[in-house]
Amino acid sequence: MSADLKHLSQIFAGLKKERGGWENLWRDIRDYEVPDLGCFEGEAPHDGGKRYQRLYDAEAAEAADIMAAGLLSGLSSPSRPWLRLTTMDPDLDESPDVKQWLADIQQAMLMQFAKSETYNSLHRSYLELTAFGTACSIIQRHPENVIDMLNLTVGEYWLACDPYGRVDTLFRRLSMTVKQMVQRFGMDSVSNDVRKCLRDNPFERRNIIHAIVPRVDRDIMKADKLNKPFASVYWEEGRENDPALEESGFDEFPALCPRWLITGSSVYGRGPGAKALSASKSLQRLHNRLATLTDYLTNPPVQYPTKHRAFLDMYRPGGRIPVDPSDNEAIRTAWEVRTDPALIDALIERRRQEIQRYFKVNIFQMIAASQDGQRTATEIEALNQEKIMVMGPILERLHTELLDPLVSNAFALMVKANKIPPAPESMYGKELSIEYISVLA
């Protein structure tokens, strides 16, 4: 059964309304903390632009980078094994043929992650997550590298959850030229308007909507793309009366949507970026004040006799102004600035420390030092206790909402690409589980 684009558009409208309450917060986080991220309605992701106009001090951006890099190296390091496959049966795991098979799969999967640049995409997801509290990426089949992980940035996707609070619906808007549309979907799938535009202006851009939703009306006895558990539908925005550009499906929900902290029935999460927003705004105001104070101290306004108006160009560093003895007292600064810049410097440093505390910079710096052998056993034990106390619930959510579906989808793609060796007979009917063995696990 073909997709009902009008019904999907109604769902999309409802999701846009629900997400509207988050957008002002996300825009502020983007403007004051991570200007390189985010793309909201009315903005063109393909256009360059000035994004650092509100930043005088990029402490929040630096802290977010440190946290994202720390999560990457601590949870899913590209330089060391971070997962172990298991049957949850110790005796079966120790069986020589099963043990070798599990080790071969683990090694093959880690090699595929490295080859497909999955770690670069994971770093981007961690950065979005720490700043906005929610990240989103789509894992799909790559014709050469088997795995392709497509990152989305905040503002260009809309989510919904199932009754158990798990994200199972994704809508996203992407901008494509008509040339790209024909290359992606084929000449037969695009509208006559697009075909005409291909001749006249192939680089004209159109908005495309991509929906990934649970497929309710399907024949479970069929395994074709139109009866997969999750539907994937592309159409040109505003042309709901035309056929879909593409309709297919997925066996598993392909979107990885980790959230930092959710409250109640909220779909989207809040992260350290929301906590640090006030401190980051204050930091920019303090730098603005410090710059103003410096100007008054180093280049103050001067009052002078009116007859010296013709000599204003001489009121510069090194200038020589002719005066009579009676005029000497009349040439002076208009007022004396009594504020000590050290006071503002101290407030700036305090705000920086607040931001670093929100992004747990000290923990990730301690982890980096412990890996370099710069910490004693007592300090490492203290670090482990602090890590468990502060990061424990967040790490568990990252395992569940990011790494579990990543490994599950990657395994399925590798099976389709014949990258998984044949299983031993003792594994028939058994399920695999994942154990995480990273620094932060």
Side-chain angles (χ1 to χ4, degrees):
M1 182 177 179
S2 59
D4 185 347
L5 298 186
K6 291 185 178 179
H7 177 61
L8 289 175
S9 295
Q10 291 175 349
I11 297 175
F12 186 33
L15 295 182
K16 288 196 288 186
K17 182 177 180 181
E18 181 179 359
R19 201 195 73 176
W22 290 87
E23 293 185 3
N24 288 335
L25 172 64
W26 290 342
R27 286 177 186 269
D28 278 354
I29 293 174
R30 191 270 305 272
D31 291 343
Y32 288 98
E33 297 184 30
V34 283
D36 292 322
L37 305 180
C39 180
F40 299 95
E41 197 158 359
E43 300 176 351
H46 54 277
D47 288 342
K50 297 179 180 179
R51 287 198 165 197
Y52 282 82
Q53 292 177 316
R54 296 187 179 182
L55 279 191
Y56 299 96
D57 189 317
E59 182 65 38
E62 179 68 17
D65 284 338
I66 292 174
M67 190 175 209
L71 288 172
L72 178 66
S73 62
L75 279 175
S76 49
S77 173
S79 61
R80 65 180 66 87
W82 50 272
L83 64 87
R84 180 189 295 123
L85 298 178
T86 176
T87 64
M88 302 303 290
D89 181 341
D91 295 332
L92 185 58
D93 283 350
E94 291 302 318
S95 173
D97 54 347
V98 172
K99 185 176 183 178
Q100 185 61 49
W101 184 70
L102 293 175
D104 291 343
I105 295 176
Q106 174 185 318
Q107 183 178 6
M109 185 174 292
L110 293 176
M111 288 180 63
Q112 288 296 333
F113 287 152
K115 182 180 178 181
S116 61
E117 299 187 358
T118 299
Y119 293 111
N120 290 337
S121 299
L122 281 174
H123 176 263
R124 173 70 178 273
S125 292
Y126 291 135
L127 187 57
E128 292 264 348
L129 182 67
T130 58
F132 302 105
T134 305
C136 183
S137 54
I138 299 174
I139 184 168
Q140 53 194 356
R141 186 174 183 178
H142 191 280
E144 298 177 0
N145 297 330
V146 182
I147 301 168
D148 177 59
M149 188 170 169
L150 174 66
N151 287 111
L152 307 181
T153 190
V154 70
E156 65 179 8
Y157 60 83
W158 293 259
L159 305 175
C161 293
D162 66 11
Y164 305 100
R166 298 170 300 194
V167 176
D168 69 345
T169 298
L170 165 68
F171 281 71
R172 67 181 179 115
R173 178 188 285 123
L174 56 155
S175 174
M176 301 179 72
T177 66
V178 294
K179 175 176 175 289
Q180 291 171 331
M181 290 176 63
V182 172
Q183 291 173 329
R184 172 65 176 80
F185 304 111
M187 185 68 77
D188 294 337
S189 298
V190 299
S191 64
N192 291 329
D193 179 52
V194 171
R195 296 191 190 104
K196 180 179 182 300
C197 191
L198 180 64
R199 297 189 300 268
D200 301 335
N201 184 10
F203 297 102
E204 179 180 316
R205 288 191 170 270
R206 304 290 180 90
N207 283 335
I208 307 300
I209 304 300
H210 180 204
I212 303 176
V213 297
R215 185 177 266 129
V216 179
D217 186 10
R218 70 185 185 97
D219 187 345
I220 61 174
M221 302 304 294
K222 296 181 179 180
D224 61 294
K225 64 180 183 180
L226 297 183
N227 287 283
K228 298 284 188 181
F230 291 91
S232 172
V233 185
Y234 289 86
W235 76 92
E236 187 177 347
E237 190 171 16
R239 303 187 72 96
E240 286 75 17
N241 293 322
D242 293 346
L245 294 170
E246 179 185 280
E247 183 176 0
S248 59
F250 297 98
D251 292 310
E252 298 182 56
F253 187 58
L256 314 179
C257 305
R259 295 160 295 173
W260 191 268
L261 177 67
I262 56 174
T263 55
S265 59
S266 175
V267 177
Y268 304 97
R270 295 178 186 270
K275 291 182 179 180
L277 181 58
S278 295
S280 186
K281 284 185 174 182
S282 175
L283 185 61
Q284 312 315 315
R285 288 194 296 269
L286 288 170
H287 271 282
N288 196 15
R289 290 284 182 87
L290 181 60
T292 302
L293 175 60
T294 301
D295 285 340
Y296 274 114
L297 290 174
T298 60
N299 189 23
V302 176
Q303 66 181 30
Y304 55 87
T306 56
K307 64 181 181 179
H308 282 203
R309 187 172 298 170
F311 304 126
L312 289 183
D313 288 342
M314 299 179 182
Y315 284 78
R316 295 177 178 176
R320 290 169 172 76
I321 307 169
V323 295
D324 294 329
S326 59
D327 294 334
N328 191 41
E329 294 298 324
I331 302 175
R332 57 184 180 273
T333 59
W335 61 81
E336 184 178 355
V337 178
R338 298 181 180 275
T339 304
D340 185 359
L343 174 62
I344 299 182
D345 283 332
L347 290 175
I348 288 175
E349 184 59 29
R350 185 180 300 176
R351 295 295 176 268
R352 286 175 175 168
Q353 291 176 0
E354 288 180 19
I355 292 171
Q356 292 174 9
R357 186 171 69 252
Y358 292 136
F359 284 100
K360 311 292 188 294
V361 170
N362 64 322
I363 292 180
F364 292 106
Q365 288 176 337
M366 289 174 65
I367 292 174
S370 65
Q371 292 176 348
D372 293 338
Q374 300 176 15
R375 297 283 176 178
T376 65
T378 303
E379 290 174 325
I380 293 176
E381 178 63 25
L383 168 63
N384 289 333
Q385 294 298 325
E386 184 174 6
K387 176 185 67 177
I388 293 171
M389 180 179 66
V390 176
M391 300 290 294
I394 304 303
L395 298 177
E396 185 63 28
R397 181 176 290 277
L398 289 179
H399 289 157
T400 303
E401 296 187 346
L402 177 63
L403 299 182
D404 282 355
L406 170 64
V407 174
S408 177
N409 278 278
F411 184 86
L413 292 173
M414 291 175 67
V415 169
K416 293 178 181 178
N418 295 319
K419 299 293 184 180
I420 300 295
E425 291 186 5
S426 55
M427 282 298 302
Y428 291 173
K430 303 292 185 180
E431 293 186 358
L432 291 179
S433 297
I434 310 165
E435 289 183 355
Y436 294 104
I437 54 175
S438 62
V439 175
L440 288 176

